[in-house]
Amino acid sequence: MSKESEKQGLTRREFLNATAMAGVAGVSLGGGLMGMSPAFAAKSASGNATVGLGELDEYYGFWSGGQSGEVRILGLPSMRELMRIPVFNMDSATGWGMSNESKDVLAGGGGPYFNGDAHHPHMSMTDGRYDGKYVFINDKANTRVARIRCDIMKTDKITSIPNVSAIHGLRVQKAPYTKYVFCNAEFRIPHPNDGRDLTDPSKYRTMFSAVNAETMEVDWQVIVDGNLDNTDADYTGKYACSTCYNSEGGVTLAESIANERDWAVVFNIPRIEKAIEKGMFTTLGDSKVPVVDGTHGSKYTLYIPVPKSPHGLNTSPDGKYFVANGKLSPTVSIISISKIDDWFAGKLKEPRDTIVAEPELGLGPLHTAFDGRGNAYTTLFIDSQIAKWNVDDAIKAYQGKKVSYIKQKLDVHYQPGHNHTSMGETRDADGKWLVALCKFSKDRFLPVGPLHPENDQLIDISGDEMKLVHDGPTFAEPHDCMIVHRSKMKPLKIWKRDDPFFANTTAMAKRDGINLTTDNKIIRNGKKVRVYMTSIAPSFGITDFKVKKGDEVTVVITNLDMIEDVTHGFCVVNHGVSIEIGPQQTASVTFVANRPGVHWYYCNWFCHALHMEMRGRMLVEA
């Protein structure tokens, strides 16, 4: 592209139109531009929420990809899928799991694993408000936590959590900033899990872990009784609270649901940190992570009895309450955070004194969301409903006053799990939208075989009554989501040349004496060959290179285009090689050239009117 067109700040559409004319007429790229084509309109099903021609959604939604191992970005209220972010999975489109940069990230997860069970995406915060910096997500299948950078929407760190099995619940510390990512390990195992005590469940334990949000190292862990489920944090930075089932310590279904009550476990963060500072901890096996004892009777934890097998744990946006959802009980337990203060100060006799209400909502309450106006919304899995109820009224009813706390019940289709309100996990809960993530979709969509899609439903909660305005199919059980206003997000349009995402590749090029933005060179070191090339639509800087059979080939490509959305790809035919290179990005891939002959490589991301001609040859000598 010419320097003149760079100065003009062309859009991708203008750039493509201009270069198409240049390719056909043989004129310079700086010639006249074609008129812009009209944009497409996208409408939600709501009568009062239309995302019209050329308009943008008001919110970003980050959806977990469940068993796919990815995270998806949706626009709200249109519910259009905007992007998929590969995290724990391999992805042919972007080359995640194939590019050297993504392999570096995946290596941090202790693999090689190419599957994931991604459940709970949550964004970093400052003073209880989203800051648009990171989204964190767990992998239950392989006991990992990943971090996504929101400026590039790429996974940049994956951490394997030691001493535990199956990370399930995950939330961030909300205040004063996200220092920690709190992680619940669900399954109980012997400590250390090295082959001893295999058949003695009395020796099994699990842990609550605190991952440092910046280093992605595990700063400390707390041993608990029971199986940890979901978690959330308060708005002061003092407490995290987790639901905990299997107080029986069983290993079978019957053994795990015998007791009438299990717990909500509160973790006193300042006390835990002080214990670590004073060296009041132990370590397990080869891990150097400090571990403190948070079992019953510990000064670091509070076990609050709640009805058996509680599931979701949610914090009200006013910072006053934790809500533990009953699952096997028709109730939710409202826990006063100020009374937790009293308990740790020795002012309360019984842990249950921290509970200020247990409203009965319906069958199978799993998760609760909030609108910032004093109302809560709880999914009823068995009833296939959302229950809207008022928190203050529920507390009054618990005190014996005659007041109706349930405001409405809305049918959803079917068996809702998580639900989330717009900005509802922050101080900025705005009470506009609620999303219900339903586990079953039978009879809602065209049949596609025995495996059905899930069903995401959008509900308008801006008025006095909930109104279901949209539902749509989605694949591989998006388990959870979060909804953030677009004003909080500042994603890049093109890469920064000094981005740390490809720092290792930049360092390799420096050792080879390569300028990534100008050089198109081949470096040979025995059976290792490094091919450095640039790309600018519609050509690669090197259109053929020669190697010998069995050579380990590393191809490094720098995309010199300055126009947003002019992404290139590098795909080698019959070699299982495919990567994405965004504008101003450097990306690399390493493979073995084990097939003699002519092997074409080409750009597999449409980038130009002459996109089909953007190709080259790898010549492999026998």
Side-chain angles (χ1 to χ4, degrees):
M1 194 182 73
S2 70
K3 292 183 178 179
E4 183 60 30
S5 46
E6 288 181 23
K7 292 178 184 178
Q8 294 174 5
L10 302 182
T11 67
R12 184 177 191 264
R13 183 178 290 109
E14 292 167 332
F15 172 61
L16 289 172
N17 285 340
T19 54
M21 289 299 291
V24 172
V27 298
S28 71
L29 212 57
L33 301 177
M34 296 282 287
M36 293 178 63
S37 301
F40 289 102
K43 296 181 179 180
S44 77
S46 169
N48 64 353
T50 299
V51 181
L53 192 71
E55 295 179 356
L56 303 179
D57 279 292
E58 187 174 3
Y59 301 91
Y60 288 82
F62 290 86
W63 259 245
S64 64
Q67 304 93 311
S68 73
E70 65 191 13
V71 168
R72 298 164 191 168
I73 305 176
L74 273 67
L76 268 75
S78 75
M79 297 296 285
R80 295 175 294 191
E81 184 177 293
L82 306 176
M83 184 60 63
R84 295 189 173 196
I85 304 172
V87 183
F88 305 112
N89 56 313
M90 291 190 70
D91 180 63
S92 176
T94 62
W96 190 260
M98 288 177 269
S99 72
N100 293 330
E101 293 73 26
S102 63
K103 286 181 178 178
D104 287 344
V105 175
L106 287 163
Y113 307 117
F114 294 105
N115 72 305
D117 189 9
H119 278 215
H120 300 112
H122 291 286
M123 182 175 285
S124 53
M125 298 189 191
T126 301
D127 191 31
R129 294 179 166 90
Y130 291 138
D131 60 19
K133 188 174 184 181
Y134 300 125
V135 166
F136 300 91
I137 183 81
N138 68 301
D139 172 18
K140 182 174 177 178
N142 297 301
T143 317
R144 297 179 291 180
V145 173
R147 184 178 75 186
I148 296 168
R149 277 177 49 192
C150 293
D151 58 341
I152 58 174
M153 299 300 183
K154 300 279 188 186
T155 307
D156 79 323
K157 294 282 186 181
I158 298 178
T159 298
S160 179
I161 310 299
N163 302 322
V164 295
S165 176
I167 294 299
H168 181 218
L170 177 147
R171 290 293 175 93
V172 301
Q173 188 174 26
K174 297 181 179 182
Y177 66 97
T178 298
K179 178 180 180 181
Y180 299 123
V181 182
F182 297 126
C183 313
N184 281 345
E186 183 176 352
F187 300 141
R188 301 163 64 250
I189 56 174
H191 288 152
N193 193 22
D194 60 1
R196 69 186 77 179
D197 301 322
L198 294 177
T199 59
D200 185 359
S202 68
K203 301 289 181 66
Y204 295 3
R205 291 288 187 274
T206 192
M207 297 189 193
F208 176 83
S209 299
V211 176
N212 187 296
E214 292 298 330
T215 67
M216 289 295 286
E217 300 291 332
V218 182
D219 277 1
W220 44 261
Q221 295 178 306
V222 181
I223 298 177
V224 299
D225 295 317
N227 288 49
L228 291 171
D229 198 348
N230 283 281
T231 190
D232 206 348
D234 71 352
Y235 283 88
T236 69
K238 189 184 298 184
Y239 302 121
C241 185
S242 300
T243 48
C244 191
Y245 69 96
N246 191 22
S247 55
E248 303 85 351
V251 295
T252 67
L253 173 63
E255 291 171 350
S256 301
I257 60 173
N259 293 342
E260 285 302 311
R261 286 180 175 170
D262 288 307
W263 308 294
V265 184
V266 178
F267 299 88
N268 190 315
I269 308 305
R271 286 192 182 185
I272 295 167
E273 290 179 324
K274 187 170 292 186
I276 303 298
E277 291 173 7
K278 292 183 177 181
M280 300 168 62
F281 62 84
T282 187
T283 58
L284 296 175
D286 296 332
S287 171
K288 293 181 171 52
V289 175
V291 177
V292 302
D293 185 356
T295 56
H296 268 77
S298 168
K299 64 182 179 181
Y300 310 118
T301 54
L302 164 62
Y303 286 73
I304 303 171
V306 296
K308 66 180 175 184
S309 296
H311 187 56
L313 196 291
N314 306 94
T315 308
S316 60
D318 59 11
K320 292 182 179 180
Y321 308 109
F322 292 129
V323 175
N325 299 270
K327 191 172 76 172
L328 298 187
S329 166
T331 62
V332 299
S333 301
I334 305 175
I335 301 167
S336 167
I337 294 175
S338 65
K339 287 185 178 293
I340 293 174
D341 285 334
D342 292 340
W343 192 89
F344 277 111
K347 297 178 181 179
L348 297 181
K349 291 185 178 180
E350 299 295 334
R352 286 254 328 157
D353 292 342
T354 60
I355 293 178
V356 294
E358 281 188 325
E360 184 173 321
L361 303 177
L363 298 181
L366 291 189
H367 298 278
T368 295
F370 305 90
D371 62 10
R373 301 190 299 269
N375 299 312
Y377 302 78
T378 299
T379 53
L380 303 177
F381 182 82
I382 297 174
D383 285 340
S384 288
Q385 291 181 320
I386 304 292
K388 176 182 178 180
W389 54 281
N390 185 270
V391 177
D392 287 343
D393 287 345
I395 294 172
K396 291 175 184 176
Y398 192 71
Q399 295 168 346
K401 299 175 183 177
K402 292 185 178 180
V403 59
S404 177
Y405 49 81
I406 294 181
K407 305 305 176 184
Q408 184 190 359
K409 288 189 176 181
L410 180 71
D411 292 339
V412 291
H413 309 278
Y414 303 93
Q415 279 70 54
H418 279 274
N419 66 338
H420 280 279
T421 51
S422 47
M423 302 293 285
E425 294 182 326
T426 74
R427 296 184 190 275
D428 299 323
D430 60 23
K432 292 184 179 181
W433 300 103
L434 180 142
V435 170
L437 286 80
C438 301
K439 299 300 185 183
F440 297 92
S441 67
K442 54 191 176 186
D443 74 32
R444 299 297 290 179
F445 312 113
L446 284 173
V448 289
L451 179 62
H452 286 47
E454 314 301 323
N455 186 13
D456 291 344
Q457 298 193 298
L458 181 68
I459 299 166
D460 183 344
I461 60 170
S462 60
D464 291 335
E465 291 189 355
M466 296 182 284
K467 295 180 180 180
L468 179 62
V469 298
H470 168 89
D471 64 2
T474 187
F475 173 67
E477 197 180 289
H479 189 88
D480 192 9
C481 70
M482 55 149 294
I483 304 167
V484 56
H485 195 272
R486 69 186 186 192
S487 63
K488 302 290 184 179
M489 304 296 293
K490 297 291 184 289
L492 297 175
K493 294 186 176 181
I494 64 173
W495 287 78
K496 295 180 180 178
R497 282 298 308 139
D498 59 352
D499 197 289
F501 188 79
F502 46 83
N504 289 343
T505 306
T506 301
M508 179 181 69
K510 187 175 181 180
R511 292 192 297 269
D512 282 340
I514 296 293
N515 184 325
L516 288 170
T517 61
T518 60
D519 290 344
N520 291 280
K521 293 183 179 179
I522 300 172
I523 306 293
R524 301 183 189 274
N525 183 11
K527 297 290 289 181
K528 296 181 182 293
V529 180
R530 291 184 290 281
V531 180
Y532 292 94
M533 69 175 83
T534 58
S535 66
I536 188 165
S539 62
F540 292 110
I542 293 178
T543 55
D544 59 74
F545 62 89
K546 187 179 292 185
V547 297
K548 296 182 183 297
K549 178 184 177 182
D551 281 354
E552 181 186 272
V553 181
T554 297
V555 176
V556 181
I557 302 176
T558 299
N559 183 346
L560 298 182
D561 282 298
M562 296 289 291
I563 302 298
E564 67 177 279
D565 202 21
V566 182
T567 294
H568 296 308
F570 178 78
C571 181
V572 183
V573 177
N574 295 335
H575 277 74
V577 170
S578 176
I579 61 172
E580 158 224 351
I581 316 103
Q584 293 296 298
Q585 181 185 6
T586 292
S588 64
V589 63
T590 299
F591 58 96
V592 175
N594 56 9
R595 303 174 60 146
V598 175
H599 299 281
W600 289 90
Y601 55 87
Y602 66 98
C603 175
N604 58 340
W605 282 84
F606 195 95
C607 61
H608 191 275
L610 296 174
H611 166 74
M612 299 295 291
E613 287 75 16
M614 189 169 175
R615 63 193 184 199
R617 294 174 299 160
M618 178 176 69
L619 309 174
V620 182
E621 295 179 331

